[in-house]
Structure formats: structure tokens, C-alpha cells
Amino acid sequence: MTSTRIFKRDYILVLLMSVMYFFTIKNIIPPFVNLIIALMVSIYFFPIKLFIGNDFVKFPIKKKILVALSYYIVSNVIALTALAAYMDDWVFLHTAIFIYGLTNLAFLFYFYFTENVSYNFLLTCCATILISAASSL
């Protein structure tokens, strides 16, 4: 598998983070392991992905801003769900995840109606699964 195919399917990392979050809640994986891996994946999705993504260069400026904001929200959702699993009784984290979830839902509708089924749409769908797992507690 080439590196471009791997980068086009990296939304699977968000699904894996959902599974790791479930295992952390069930005390199969220690919370600090989930926190470390989630922070690495979170750093990948926001600053690193913008620099290595070749598809990002050919977008118009409005689309670049929306895609970058979408990556930022996905990155923050991953980090905040790991923190919420690590620190149990922080209402602020759950509220922030809820607000990011509403914003992610707006991006989900936007990417669905403008691009139909694309990478950004699939990424926001996977982030919605992680948000629903984190907000259910």
C-alpha cells in the first residue's frame, strides 16, 4: 500500500480512537496510554496533516479555511475525549465536546451537500462516532 493511499484513509484513525476510548472506559487500556496515543493522533490531524496534504493546495481559499477548521475540530475532539476519559468529573470538557460536536455536525451537512461522499465527509462521520461515544457518559 502506498503512502498516498494510507493518507487518504487516515479517517480510520478516528474510528480506532473510538475503540480505544471504549476500551479505556471499560478499564482494558490504561487512561494514560489512551491519552498519549490520542495526543499523537490529534497532533497528526491538525498541524501535520495540513503540511503533508497535497490535496489541500488545490482547494480554493474558502474551502481551505473550512477544511483546516474541520481538521482543527477533529483534532480537538480527539484530544478532549482522551482528557475526558483521563479526568472523570470535568463538566467543562463534556460541554466543549458537545459544542465541537454541534460544529462537526454543521461540517457534516456542509460536506455532504457540497461534496457528497468525500474524504472530508467520511472524516466528519468518524468524528461524529467518537463524539457520540464521549458524550454518552
Side-chain angles (χ1 to χ4, degrees):
M1 188 179 288
T2 63
S3 64
T4 56
R5 288 184 80 193
I6 291 172
F7 290 135
K8 287 184 181 181
R9 292 195 174 107
D10 59 358
Y11 53 83
I12 295 173
L13 287 173
V14 181
L15 290 177
L16 291 176
M17 292 309 304
S18 300
V19 172
M20 279 192 65
Y21 181 77
F22 175 73
F23 285 153
T24 302
I25 297 301
K26 295 297 181 183
N27 292 325
I28 297 172
I29 296 175
F32 70 90
V33 173
N34 184 25
L35 181 67
I36 291 170
I37 293 172
L39 289 178
M40 288 190 305
V41 171
S42 174
I43 289 171
Y44 166 74
F45 269 107
F46 183 60
I48 295 175
K49 186 157 178 65
L50 293 179
F51 295 122
I52 63 173
N54 295 333
D55 296 336
F56 189 72
V57 176
K58 63 183 178 182
F59 290 148
I61 190 71
K62 178 184 172 185
K63 178 93 173 187
K64 283 182 186 179
I65 293 171
L66 290 175
V67 169
L69 189 59
S70 173
Y71 290 164
Y72 177 74
I73 288 173
V74 169
S75 173
N76 280 340
V77 163
I78 292 169
L80 288 177
T81 54
L83 284 174
Y86 192 72
M87 300 176 199
D88 291 331
D89 296 330
W90 283 56
V91 177
F92 171 74
L93 292 176
H94 293 289
T95 305
I97 291 171
F98 178 73
I99 292 170
Y100 280 135
L102 291 177
T103 310
N104 186 50
L105 187 64
F107 278 120
L108 180 78
F109 289 134
Y110 172 76
F111 289 133
Y112 177 74
F113 288 120
T114 59
E115 301 174 358
N116 202 355
V117 179
S118 67
Y119 170 79
N120 295 321
F121 174 72
L122 292 174
L123 180 65
T124 54
C125 284
C126 294
T128 303
I129 292 170
L130 179 62
I131 291 167
S132 66
S135 64
S136 65
L137 295 177

